[in-house]
Structures are given as structure tokens and as C-alpha cells.
């Protein structure tokens, strides 16, 4: 892939890799571009490890046939060697709210990951029912000796807010004479179709490789309760509520989780950057370059003082690194992952990657989440975006129009045939409809609730 009108300059400090020069801007004190520079707010090392699936089940449940047996350590009433079955766990509990002191014990979840808990009842294509013939006694176990460490999930950066983080990255760009101002003639020719890869960092947020207590340790008390509520009704009630099942919006978190989006149609211009794609829903995110947020509302924003499904984003170029700040995000849920609040803001950097010949091969996409309502401290997610092909090659983007065929019947998602008649309750969009369904149908007599606070749209 050509690097546009940018021409290769001297080798950077990391080796003999040639990189493109930026017109009318210094390349940094050591002669390398921003992608090769040390930074206080991007590019911190990631734990290198061979991560393993915790189970039970498989990657998004996709195991269970002869070639890929389910990932688990015990099933059908067996208990893994060295483990003791708790008297009360998430599968047999009659009141998960009352079990809070047990939530820090892996055995309460039978060492299952969050994706494993919602895979018990064969929730995913290609998966098998692991509930056994005498549930809950026969519910499966994941691997108790597998986990992704918490210290590798939390942000390595010394910032308390997205604004502090963004301003620090801006200061670094200014120290190099930036932010970089591209014209259409000097823009790197990076527009194209990219594929997401997990090569940059194990995908902890998918819910495959992380024990539930580790996941819960990232969350505030209220959002711990919401996450356990979600896990309980996926694993014990067999009543998972996935937004895509009902053609509800997927929400911001799904952009980073699982198969929600794998292919990105990406357009770079001097004024904005556009990311387009989606599997279960359409994801469209636009970066407004060289804009500043309005701070007069509830959150930093660009448009009206109303939350947006994927937020509003400003950004700038630091040579060959795109820096963005997203705010004004609609609170929502992501199955197998935690709910995020309307306070969520993210800092994302897209750092150029080159091969040994100096050819552009893609981007390192690094995101730091700041959500003081849901998270006890910021967390980090990283992917590689591998350049795949030009925009005019291959199949066009397929716009998704979801036609509902699945509806809530007695609290569970049921596929219905055309002309079926049934009783239906219209969701209260302003009050976490998934939790309303669970509490209405399955929590009679329990000691807690997750309703009554945290309205979704600020009403």
C-alpha cells in the first residue's frame, strides 16, 4: 500500500524501519515519528501471555461438536479435582443479591467466565446444552486455574479523567510542533477496509478468558450487582436478554466486544475520520478533527445536550498517530460484559504500523475507558486493525435492517412465526428494560433490585 505523498526518512530508533515524513512538521527529537516515540498516554506494554479459555463452552459458545469439544473442567455433577462445591452458588441460589459475600469466590460461579455462564443453555450457534439432566446439580465447571490478571486490564496511565488524558496527548503533539495539519494532498493514503485482530492484547472484555470475580473487581458496587444479575439470569434462569435478539440498539460497548464488528470501512479526510461496519447492527462513528467540545451541558459534547448511542468524538493527528476523545455516550448494556453508564468517556489512539520495508500495514487501536459510575478505575482495551483492501475492492458494506422475529414471552426470548398472537409488554426504554424483564418474571421474593436509579436517557 502506498504512503501517499509522504516520503520515507531516516531509520527510527527502534531499528532500520523506514517511516513516512510529515510535511511541515518536525519528526521528534530522535528522528522518528510519533508512532515510534515514548508517550505518557499511549503504547504502554501489554502483558505477553498465552491466554486460555476459562469456559464452560467455547469462544462465544462455538464449541460442542466432534472437532471442538466444550471447554470445561467438569460437568454432569462432577467436581474438578481440588475444588469443593459451595452449598450455595449462582446456579442453585434463590436470591443472588443475598450472596454478595460469595461473589469474590470463583466457586460461586463454578469457575465459569461470563461468556461461559450464558453458554450453559446452548445460547450460541454451534454450542451444546451443558446444563445436564439434573440442573442445577449438573451445571458445568470452567477451569479454576485460568484467568487474565486484573493488573493487565486496568489502565497503565496516570490519568483520572479522559480530559486529562487527551490534554496530555495534545501537549506531546504540540511539543513536536503539532497537532499535524494534513491537506487532501498530504494525507496518508490509509482509507480502506480493515480487519480487527486480537494480536495487540488478549480480548479480556469478550468474557472468555477472565474469571467472574476478576471481572467484578473492576466495577463499582452497583454495577457489580447488575453484572451478577445478568450472569444469574443467563445461567440459572435461562433468560438471557440480548439487545440484538429484539432488534434493540447494540450500544457503545458492543463496538468493542465479540463479533459485534470485525470489519471496518474506514475513510480518512483532513476534516474527519469515519468508521463504518457492523454484524448484528450498524456501527457508524465519526471523528471531528480539530474541534473542541462544548462543556456547558452534563457532559462534553458537540451537538445537542442529548446522549448519542456511540457518543460524539473529537480528535487530532500527532504525525502518524490519530488521537480521539469520545463523550456523551448513551448508557446501555452488553451481554457477557458489564453495563456502562452515561458517564463513560474514552480516549482512543490509532497508531500506524509498518512492515520492514516501511509499508503501512495497519493500526494499533488502543482505548482507555473512563467511567466513574461503573468502573472503580479506568481500563484499557487494545486491538490491531489490519489493512485488508482498498475501499473499491471486494463486497460493499452491507447495511443491516433488523426485523424482529424474537419477542419476550414469559420473560424469555422466544422466536415466533408470522401471524402469531401473544401478550406483549412494551419495554420502558428509560429504565433498563432487560432488568425490568428479569425482575418482573424471575425475582419475586428476592432481597434486592437494580431498578429505581440510573435512568438511561437522563429523565
Amino acid at each position: 500500500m502506498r504512503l501517499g505523498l509522504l516520503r520515507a526518512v531516516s531509520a527510527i530508533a527502534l531499528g532500520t524501519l523506514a517511516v513516512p515524513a510529515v510535511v511541515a512538521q518536525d519528526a521528534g527529537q530522535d528522528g522518528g515519528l510519533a508512532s515510534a516515540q515514548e508517550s505518557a498516554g499511549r503504547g504502554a506494554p501489554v502483558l505477553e501471555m498465552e491466554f486460555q479459555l476459562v469456559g464452560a463452552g467455547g469462544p462465544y459458545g462455538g464449541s460442542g461438536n466432534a472437532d471442538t469439544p466444550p471447554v470445561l473442567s467438569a460437568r454432569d455433577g462432577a467436581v474438578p479435582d481440588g475444588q469443593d462445591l459451595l452449598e450455595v452458588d449462582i446456579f442453585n441460589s434463590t436470591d443472588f443479591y443475598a450472596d454478595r459475600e460469595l461473589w469474590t469466590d470463583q466457586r460461586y460461579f463454578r469457575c465459569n467466565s461470563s461468556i461461559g455462564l450464558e453458554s450453559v443453555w446452548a445460547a450460541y450457534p454451534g454450542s451444546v446444552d451443558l446444563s445436564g439432566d439434573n440442573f442445577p446439580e449438573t451445571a458445568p465447571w470452567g477451569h479454576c486455574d485460568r484467568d487474565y490478571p486484573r493488573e493487565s486490564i486496568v489502565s497503565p496511565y496516570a490519568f483520572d479523567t479522559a480530559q486529562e488524558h487527551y490534554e496530555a496527548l495534545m501537549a506531546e503533539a504540540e511539543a513536536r510542533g503539532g497537532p499535524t495539519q494534513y491537506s487532501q494532498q498530504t494525507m496518508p493514503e490509509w482509507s480502506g477496509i480493515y480487519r480487527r485482530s486480537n494480536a495487540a492484547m488478549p480480548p479480556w472484555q469478550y468474557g472468555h478468558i477472565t474469571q467472574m470475580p476478576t471481572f467484578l473487581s473492576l466495577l463499582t458496587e452497583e454495577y457489580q450487582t447488575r453484572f451478577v444479575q445478568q450472569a444469574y439470569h443467563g445461567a440459572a434462569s435461562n433468560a438471557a436478554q440480548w439487545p440484538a435478539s429484539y432488534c434493540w440498539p447494540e450500544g457503545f460497548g458492543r463496538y468493542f466486544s465479540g463479533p459485534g464488528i470485525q470489519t471496518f470501512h474506514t475513510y480518512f479526510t483532513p476534516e474527519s475520520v469515519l468508521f463504518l461496519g457492523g454484524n448484528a447492527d450498524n456501527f457508524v462513528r465519526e471523528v471531528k478533527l480539530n474541534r473542541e467540545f462544548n462543556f456547558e451541558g452534563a457532559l462534553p459534547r458537540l451537538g445537542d445536550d442529548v446522549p448519542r448511542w456511540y457518543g460524539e468524538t473529537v480528535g487530532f493527528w500527532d504525525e502518524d498517530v490519530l488521537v480521539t476523545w469520545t463523550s456523551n455516550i448513551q448508557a446501555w448494556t452488553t451481554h457477557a460484559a458489564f453495563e456502562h453508564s452515561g458517564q463513560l468517556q474514552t480516549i482512543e489512539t490509532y497508531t500506524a504500523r509498518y512492515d520492514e520495508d516501511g509499508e503501512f500495514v495497519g493500526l494499533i487501536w488502543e482505548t482507555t475507558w473512563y467511567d466513574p459510575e461503573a468502573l472503580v478505575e479506568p481500563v484499557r482495551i487494545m486491538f490491531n486493525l489490519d489493512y485488508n483492501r482498498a475501499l473499491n475492492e471486494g463486497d460493499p458494506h452491507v447495511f443491516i435492517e433488523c426485523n424482529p422475529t424474537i419477542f419476550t414471552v414469559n420473560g424469555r426470548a422466544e422466536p415466533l412465526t408470522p401471524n402469531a398472537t401473544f401478550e406483549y409488554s412494551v419495554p420502558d426504554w428509560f429504565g433498563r428494560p432487560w432488568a425490568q424483564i428479569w425482575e418482573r418474571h424471575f425475582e419475586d421474593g428476592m432481597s434486592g433490585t437494580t431498578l429505581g436509579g440510573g435512568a438511561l436517557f437522563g429523565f
Side-chain angles (χ1 to χ4, degrees), residues 330 332 427-433 436 453-459:
Q330 175 60 57
W332 204 243
D428 175 6
W429 297 106
F430 303 119
R432 302 176 53 245
Q436 296 169 35
L456 290 178
F457 292 88
F459 293 99

Side-chain angles (χ1 to χ4, degrees), residues 166 287-288 291-293 302 312-316 323-325:
Y166 190 75
V287 182
K288 295 289 190 182
R291 289 279 301 275
E292 294 185 359
F293 277 134
L302 288 172
E312 295 169 315
T313 306
V314 297
F316 63 88
V323 179
T324 75
W325 174 12

Side-chain angles (χ1 to χ4, degrees), residues 214-228:
T214 301
F215 227 146
L216 291 170
S217 73
L218 304 170
L219 306 178
T220 61
E221 185 172 307
E222 169 64 23
Y223 282 76
Q224 288 178 352
T225 305
R226 296 182 184 191
F227 198 29
V228 174

Side-chain angles (χ1 to χ4, degrees), residues 112-362:
N112 280 289
S113 63
S114 59
I115 202 76
L117 290 168
E118 69 175 26
S119 299
V120 169
W121 301 92
Y124 293 93
S127 62
V128 295
D129 190 327
L130 301 175
S131 61
D133 58 6
N134 189 29
F135 186 86
E137 286 77 7
T138 53
W141 285 74
H143 289 273
C144 302
D145 59 347
R146 299 178 181 178
D147 198 6
Y148 189 67
R150 184 185 190 279
E151 58 268 24
S152 298
I153 296 173
V154 298
S155 171
Y157 306 117
F159 306 111
D160 294 324
T161 68
Q163 183 174 354
E164 291 177 9
H165 196 160
Y166 190 75
E167 290 174 349
L169 291 169
M170 175 68 81
E172 291 180 356
E174 291 173 344
R176 280 187 278 270
T180 308
Q181 303 296 323
Y182 286 118
S183 67
Q184 196 65 54
Q185 289 71 38
T186 60
M187 279 291 300
E189 294 184 8
W190 292 348
S191 292
I193 298 173
Y194 293 75
R195 290 284 297 173
R196 185 168 71 181
S197 163
N198 298 323
M201 182 178 187
W204 62 266
Q205 74 284 358
Y206 286 11
H208 299 103
I209 65 175
T210 309
Q211 293 283 345
M212 278 293 291
T214 301
F215 227 146
L216 291 170
S217 73
L218 304 170
L219 306 178
T220 61
E221 185 172 307
E222 169 64 23
Y223 282 76
Q224 288 178 352
T225 305
R226 296 182 184 191
F227 198 29
V228 174
Q229 182 185 48
Q230 172 183 271
Y232 176 85
H233 290 297
S237 303
N238 188 19
Q241 305 296 321
W242 299 355
S245 296
Y246 305 127
C247 296
W248 294 354
E250 282 280 46
F252 186 81
R254 186 63 166 164
Y255 190 78
F256 298 85
S257 180
I261 179 171
Q262 295 290 336
T263 300
F264 297 75
H265 295 242
T266 307
Y267 302 78
F268 292 94
T269 79
E271 294 82 23
S272 70
V273 178
L274 184 70
F275 297 93
L276 170 67
N279 290 335
D281 202 348
N282 301 292
F283 293 93
V284 182
R285 297 184 64 199
E286 182 185 16
V287 182
K288 295 289 190 182
L289 295 171
N290 305 312
R291 289 279 301 275
E292 294 185 359
F293 277 134
N294 180 345
F295 289 89
E296 295 178 353
L299 291 163
R301 59 186 171 84
L302 288 172
D304 293 333
D305 194 7
V306 177
R308 307 300 179 187
W309 284 109
Y310 307 123
E312 295 169 315
T313 306
V314 297
F316 63 88
W317 284 100
D318 181 2
E319 298 173 337
D320 60 345
V321 178
L322 174 65
V323 179
T324 75
W325 174 12
T326 300
S327 179
N328 203 31
I329 300 168
Q330 175 60 57
W332 204 243
T333 190
T334 303
H335 70 84
F338 54 88
E339 291 185 34
H340 65 266
S341 82
Q343 298 297 311
L344 174 63
Q345 298 179 40
T346 63
I347 298 298
E348 296 166 62
T349 59
Y350 301 82
T351 301
R353 296 161 44 221
Y354 307 97
D355 66 15
E356 61 184 9
D357 296 321
E359 289 293 310
F360 175 79
V361 295

